[in-house]
């Protein structure tokens, strides 16, 4: 969320994650596991493309993905 909040605001970032989680993975964010996160990022892509533009969305999703790789 820390990557999305500055761009979307806290509420919209939370709702974007919740919506992508339910649509893409068919479960709420609280039930996601680490292996679900790449699919969640893919699910966020269309929404982020709309809110912040495709290029910026691609950059942000790459940053999030890189952050996740560092945690492994």
């Amino acid at each position: 969320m820390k990557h999305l909040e500055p761009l979307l605001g806290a509420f919209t970032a939370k709702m974007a994650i919740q919506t992508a989680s339910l649509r893409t993975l068919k479960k709420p964010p609280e039930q996601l596991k680490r292996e679900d996160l790449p699919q969640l990022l893919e699910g966020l892509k269309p929404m982020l493309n709309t809110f912040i533009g495709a290029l910026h969305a691609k950059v942000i999703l790459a940053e999030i993905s890189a952050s996740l790789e560092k945690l492994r």
Side-chain angles (χ1 to χ4, degrees), residues 22-71:
L22 292 172
R23 283 188 182 166
T24 305
L25 297 155
K26 309 290 188 250
K27 53 186 169 182
E30 303 82 39
Q31 294 179 0
L32 296 181
K33 297 177 180 155
R34 182 177 296 275
E35 58 267 13
D36 295 326
L37 297 179
Q39 283 181 280
L40 177 65
L41 294 180
E42 280 299 310
L44 282 168
K45 191 183 293 186
M47 199 175 323
L48 291 178
N49 286 344
T50 300
F51 285 140
I52 62 175
L55 181 59
H56 202 99
K58 184 176 181 178
V59 170
I60 293 301
L61 291 171
E63 287 177 8
I64 295 170
S65 185
S67 293
L68 293 173
E69 287 297 319
K70 288 180 184 176
L71 294 175

